[in-house]
Amino acid sequence: MSELDELRERVVALERENDELRTPKKRRFRAKSVVGAILLVLAVVLAPVAAMGTWARLQLVDTERFVATFAPLASDPDVQDFVADQVTTAIDEQVDISAVVGEVFDGIRSLGLPPRADTAISLLEGPAANGAISLIDGVVRDVVRSDQFADIWTQSLRFTHERATAIIQNAPGTAVQLGDDGAVTIELGVVIDRVKEAMSERGIGLADVIPDIDRSIPIAQADALALVRTVYQVADIGGFWLPWLVLGLFVAGVLLMRDRPRALFWSSAGFALVFLLLTAGMGIGRGVFIRAVSPSIMSAAAATALFEQLTSLLAGTIAALALVGVLIAIWAWLAGSGRTAVAFRGLLESGFSAVRGAAEKRGLTTGAFGRGVDRFRGPIFLVGALAAMTLLIVTRPVSFGVVIGVGAGLLVLAILIELLRRPEGDADIAPVARDPRAEPVSETLTERAPDAVS
């Protein structure tokens, strides 16, 4: 074959390669990317479930957290009115105030008073009964608004939670059992006893006719006990392990994706979105709860105060986690391949390079340590990010302050890495000082040039 034929074949082969390069290739989906996408979707879907499970675990399992959540309700005016109404109703059911007052007036009539006096006493009987009822109601409300009631409320909460937990856990040997009607309740008997003491201290004789009253507010029934036990067990186990599972799915999903910054951006944005949707769902749940319990069980104002106090911890956690998603999405966008992100990173790199160069001129250098930091800066920051995520999961509950603190810590870590690292392009040798007595090279060559020619 001649040289010309070889050149022709070579030209044909090159044209074929050019045609293949011009033809757009179909993207091949890697199995790893598909699995990574599935893991990220699972992580996003399970994230709100993990948040709810953690909140339920704190409320159901931890007695001190339960008490800390509901103890402030003792100072809420709407809740105080609700409890006062319950106590007053309990006294009215056990003591017929009108009958007691009527017996007193019957005794006065038996003294043989004149007709006009008897008529006058009869006219006073109704107002006296109403006054006695108002007097008892006033004492009840004074007791409920006192500091002693707050202590009674806290003790009742702790006792109720410990008793309910023992029943739900089916703890053997416990002295507290379900009642005949199967109800787990909050007892108001202690409050009623304190009302009787306050009435006696004020010289109100009606306190002696009030018997010991066992009044309670039901919170669960035996027919739902199996469900309550199931929810408790799920919250106890899932509330601890689900956050770790979500973190594992999230990390594994990102590592399996081909474009990791992009995957991290969209998954983090998904986290923020689902938590914002969960916040909207809580608003809907608030309305459903209030309509379900008022006015049959409690007033709408008391129901509102109860729901807000119960979900305040969850609402703060959801908002903080949404902020986490937003911060990670911003960081992922900056680490991506977009034109704006690349330009922004270039601007930052120029700034840090100028700072390192200025430090080099003043003899400040990190040397071999800086070269090691530059070589492993990716893994160093990844370890810091994983430590930050672990801290967020371990901290129960997550708050805005914790999120901002962790974000600031990662920012400081990134700045330190950029300041300490020493890229290969940086000068390793300081400028050598020239002897002022030495002749300029250019001048020496010029002066010696004629001699060399001659």
Side-chain angles (χ1 to χ4, degrees), residues 29-45 249-250 252-258 263 267:
F29 291 96
R30 298 189 308 168
K32 287 184 178 180
S33 298
V34 175
V35 175
I38 294 174
L39 294 181
L40 288 176
V41 170
L42 288 176
V44 172
V45 172
L249 292 173
F250 181 73
V254 171
L255 293 178
L256 290 175
M257 297 298 290
R258 175 180 295 179
S267 57

Side-chain angles (χ1 to χ4, degrees), residues 130-401:
N130 293 332
I133 294 173
S134 300
L135 182 62
I136 294 175
D137 183 72
V139 174
V140 169
R141 295 185 185 280
D142 290 342
V143 170
V144 169
R145 294 188 179 97
S146 65
D147 294 336
Q148 291 180 340
F149 172 72
D151 297 335
I152 295 172
W153 178 268
T154 302
Q155 294 172 6
S156 299
L157 286 174
R158 181 171 284 104
F159 171 76
T160 300
H161 187 272
E162 291 175 351
R163 185 179 74 167
T165 303
I167 294 172
I168 293 173
Q169 292 177 338
N170 199 19
T174 178
V176 181
Q177 301 295 331
L178 286 171
D180 295 335
D181 59 351
V184 179
T185 58
I186 297 178
E187 302 295 338
L188 295 179
V190 179
V191 180
I192 296 174
D193 291 340
R194 178 55 194 150
V195 170
K196 292 167 62 177
E197 293 176 4
M199 292 175 65
S200 299
E201 292 172 357
R202 299 183 186 186
I204 302 174
L206 288 175
D208 298 332
V209 301
I210 300 177
D212 293 334
I213 301 175
D214 185 13
R215 178 77 176 189
S216 58
I217 303 175
I219 60 175
Q221 292 295 129
D223 53 4
L225 188 58
L227 177 61
V228 172
R229 281 177 175 158
T230 302
V231 173
Y232 179 88
Q233 292 171 357
V234 171
D236 189 15
I237 298 174
F240 180 80
W241 289 109
L242 267 180
W244 294 104
L245 176 61
V246 171
L247 177 62
L249 292 173
F250 181 73
V251 173
V254 171
L255 293 178
L256 290 175
M257 297 298 290
R258 175 180 295 179
D259 191 348
R260 293 172 183 172
R262 186 176 182 181
L264 185 61
F265 170 78
W266 286 111
S267 57
S268 301
F271 275 116
L273 178 61
V274 295
F275 282 119
L276 291 176
L277 291 176
L278 184 58
T279 301
M282 286 180 58
I284 297 174
R286 176 177 178 271
V288 173
F289 173 78
I290 294 173
R291 287 192 296 270
V293 300
S294 63
S296 59
I297 298 177
M298 63 182 69
S299 65
T304 301
L306 177 62
F307 184 87
E308 291 179 352
Q309 189 66 31
L310 176 62
T311 59
S312 60
L313 177 64
L314 178 61
T317 300
I318 291 174
L321 292 176
L323 178 60
V324 171
V326 171
L327 293 178
I328 296 178
I330 293 174
W331 179 83
W333 177 79
L334 292 176
S337 57
R339 182 178 301 177
T340 306
V342 172
F344 184 77
R345 290 201 305 271
L347 181 62
L348 290 179
E349 176 63 27
S350 300
F352 283 115
S353 179
V355 173
R356 291 194 299 266
E360 291 282 349
K361 292 180 180 180
R362 291 169 174 76
L364 299 175
T365 178
T366 54
F369 174 76
R371 288 190 291 271
V373 172
D374 179 68
R375 182 179 179 184
F376 298 104
R377 59 174 176 165
I380 291 174
F381 187 82
L382 179 60
V383 171
L386 291 177
M389 293 298 295
T390 302
L391 178 61
L392 289 177
I393 293 177
V394 172
T395 303
R396 308 286 181 90
V398 181
S399 62
F400 256 97

Side-chain angles (χ1 to χ4, degrees), residues 70-90:
F70 290 99
L73 289 174
S75 302
D76 188 277
D78 297 319
V79 175
Q80 290 175 347
D81 291 338
F82 167 68
V83 175
D85 292 339
Q86 292 292 316
V87 173
T88 303
T89 301

